[in-house]
Amino acid sequence: MFSCTDPDAADAAIASASSTAVGAAAREHLRASRQHEARALLSAFRLGQSVYDDMLVSLSTTQQMTVRGAADKAAVGEISLQLGFSRTKAGTWFNLGDALQRLPKIRIAYLAGDFSTHRMSRMVYAVQAAPEGVVIDPVPESPADHSDTPDTATPDADLEPTWDFEDVALELGARPTTDTVLRDQLAEAVISLDPEGAAQAREGFGEAWQNLTVKADSSGHMNVDACVPAEDGVHLSQRIAALIAARLCRRDRRRLGQQRVMAFAEITGVPGKTLTCRCGRDDCPNTPTPDPDLPDPVDPSGYGTEGVSTDADVPEAESGSEPPPNPPTWTLVSDPTGIAVPRLRGYGAIDPALAATLAESSTLIAVPEEAHSRPSGLIVVGDRGPAPPVDPTGHGGHQHPPPGPCLTHPRHGYEVRSCCGI
C-alpha cells in the first residue's frame, strides 16, 4: 500500500508503480477505506446516541415521550456538526447505525470491509422488510424430497444448517453483482417469503415517500426528481422511448439525454416543445414533408393526447370505423402456478397483488416449468469469497488467443493484424 501520511511520496509512488502493483494497492486501499468508513458510521451513531440519551436521562417517562422527536433532531444535528456534512447524510448514518445494532452478522462483515456503505444499506433495508423469525433451509431440494416414502429421522438431521434472512442477504451481497441487481434479488427473496407483507410494505412506502420536486439548477435549467410507483415509471419510460424511436433517426446529432428531455417536455404538454429529428438531411425517414391540405398528424408513438374538439363543424366518425387498439402498457413475467415471483419488465420483482392489478393491461409471459425455483427464493449456497480476478491475458483463460475472433479485415494496403497486438 502507498503512504497515507506523505502525500508527495504517495503521488510519486503511484506515478512510478507498475500496473500490477497499482491494481493490488488500489484493492487494498479500497478495502481499507470501507473499513474506515464503517468505523466512522458506527462511531457517528454512538455520538448521536449519547446526545439522544443525555436529553432523555433526566426526564420522566411522560416527558420522554414528548421530546423524542427533538432528541432525534439533536442527535442528527450533533453528528452533522462534528463530522461536517449535511443533516440528511447524518440522519442516514444514524438510522443505519441503529439498524446495525440488531444485525450482528452484517455489522461484522461491514466492519471487515466486505461491503460498501451503499451495498450494506440495501441489505439492511431488505432485512428490515423481511418477516421476523423466518428460518430458511439453504440446502437445495431434490425431486426425491417430494416422494411418498415416509421420512426416517436420523441424528444428523438436526445438524443441518439453517439460515435467517441476514444470512440470505450476506450470501446475495457477496456475489459479484451490481447494487441494482442485488436490490432486485433481495426484493424477490422478500416477496417469495411474505407476499402479503411485501404488498403492505409497498403501500406504506408510497404513503411515506411518494413525491415530485422541481428545483432550480444552474444555467437556466431545472432538476426534476420524483418517487413514483413502479408501473408509472415504466409507463413513462416506455412512452419516451417510443416517441424517440418514432420521431428520430440514428443520425440525430443530440445526446440521448437531450432527446429524452425533449420527449418528456412534449409528453407533459409544454407549449412549443415538439420532438423532431435534427439530422439535417432532406431524405430523413422520420421527417416527412408536411401536406397543408391534411390535418395535424396523430402522434406516431400511440400516446398522443385525447384533446379532440367537440365543435359541430368536426365531422363525426363513421359508424364502422374504430380506433386502433392501444398496445399493452406493461410486460409481466408471471408464473401461473404461483411459485415464481412475478416480474415487471423495466423494474424487476413485484408482489403478486400488484401483478394482478396490472395483468389486465399487460402482455403476459409465462415462466417455463424448468425455471421454477424453490419458494425460499434465490439461495444457492457457495463460498463467500471474492470474485475471481480478471484474466490478465485477455484470452479468456487460454494460453493463446483462439483463431478467428481476434482477426480483423483490413482495408486495401494494410497487413492483417490481430486485436491482441500480434
Side-chain angles (χ1 to χ4, degrees):
M1 296 179 64
F2 301 111
S3 173
C4 294
T5 58
D6 189 350
D8 295 331
D11 183 47
I14 293 173
S16 60
S18 63
S19 59
T20 304
V22 168
R27 289 191 295 270
E28 294 178 3
H29 280 291
L30 178 60
R31 187 177 186 86
S33 68
R34 292 175 177 174
Q35 294 172 346
H36 288 301
E37 186 172 10
R39 284 152 178 78
L41 186 146
L42 293 173
S43 300
F45 165 73
R46 297 302 303 170
L47 173 65
Q49 187 67 33
S50 63
V51 174
Y52 183 92
D53 294 339
D54 290 343
M55 291 190 63
L56 301 182
V57 68
S58 60
L59 301 177
S60 63
T61 304
T62 304
Q63 292 174 328
Q64 289 179 3
M65 298 301 296
T66 60
V67 299
R68 287 188 182 275
D72 285 333
K73 292 181 180 179
V76 172
E78 185 67 18
I79 295 174
S80 175
L81 179 63
Q82 292 280 357
L83 301 185
F85 47 61
S86 66
R87 295 178 65 91
T88 301
K89 184 175 181 179
T92 301
W93 277 31
F94 185 69
N95 293 330
L96 285 175
D98 179 61
L100 286 173
Q101 303 307 307
R102 298 178 293 275
L103 303 173
K105 299 176 184 178
I106 295 179
R107 184 176 70 247
I108 296 302
Y110 181 48
L111 286 169
D114 295 340
F115 306 107
S116 65
T117 300
H118 185 265
R119 196 170 183 87
M120 177 272 298
S121 66
R122 298 287 190 189
M123 299 161 61
V124 168
Y125 297 149
V127 174
Q128 291 176 333
E132 297 182 1
V134 63
V135 177
I136 302 170
D137 180 12
V139 180
E141 295 179 350
S142 61
D145 297 337
H146 301 283
S147 60
D148 297 334
T149 58
D151 296 335
T152 58
T154 60
D156 297 337
D158 298 336
L159 301 178
E160 293 181 357
T162 57
W163 285 7
D164 56 12
F165 199 83
E166 199 173 352
D167 294 306
V168 174
L170 287 172
E171 174 65 26
L172 295 176
R175 299 178 181 181
T177 57
T178 63
D179 291 349
T180 303
V181 173
L182 174 63
R183 179 195 61 188
D184 183 66
Q185 291 177 340
L186 290 170
E188 184 173 355
V190 171
I191 294 171
S192 65
L193 293 172
D194 187 8
E196 296 180 359
Q200 295 176 359
R202 170 174 52 83
E203 295 176 357
F205 186 91
E207 294 176 357
W209 297 105
Q210 280 186 11
N211 191 19
L212 190 147
T213 58
V214 182
K215 298 181 180 179
D217 210 325
S218 60
S219 303
H221 283 71
M222 303 285 285
N223 195 316
V224 181
D225 187 16
C227 179
V228 299
E231 63 272 21
D232 296 351
V234 172
H235 179 64
L236 179 60
S237 64
Q238 290 179 348
R239 289 192 62 179
I240 292 175
L243 195 59
I244 291 175
R247 297 281 185 83
L248 307 182
C249 72
R250 61 183 180 87
R251 299 184 182 89
D252 189 275
R253 298 186 296 269
R254 289 169 293 183
R255 294 184 300 105
L256 179 60
Q258 291 179 292
Q259 298 173 1
R260 289 172 176 169
V261 169
M262 183 60 70
F264 177 74
E266 179 175 346
I267 290 172
T268 54
V270 178
K273 296 288 186 177
T274 304
L275 182 65
T276 56
C277 188
R278 293 185 182 178
C279 65
R281 298 172 62 94
D282 296 334
D283 57 346
C284 177
N286 293 346
T287 310
T289 304
D291 190 343
D293 297 333
L294 296 178
D296 295 336
V298 180
D299 183 3
S301 64
Y303 300 105
T305 58
E306 300 295 334
V308 181
S309 174
T310 57
D311 296 339
D313 297 336
V314 179
E316 296 182 359
E318 298 179 2
S319 58
S321 62
E322 295 181 358
N326 292 328
T329 305
W330 301 286
T331 301
L332 284 177
V333 181
S334 60
D335 182 10
T337 62
I339 298 177
V341 175
R343 305 183 66 84
L344 174 63
R345 284 279 181 87
Y347 174 74
I350 59 175
D351 57 270
L354 178 59
T357 304
L358 304 179
E360 198 171 317
S361 302
S362 303
T363 300
L364 300 179
I365 300 178
V367 177
E369 294 184 1
E370 59 272 11
H372 287 163
S373 61
R374 49 195 307 238
S376 58
L378 307 169
I379 310 308
V380 177
V381 181
D383 295 333
R384 287 183 187 164
V390 178
D391 177 22
T393 64
H395 302 152
H398 300 282
Q399 185 176 2
H400 300 287
C406 291
L407 297 179
T408 60
H409 297 281
R411 298 178 181 176
H412 179 70
Y414 289 85
E415 61 180 291
V416 177
R417 298 177 181 271
S418 72
C419 65
C420 302
I422 298 176

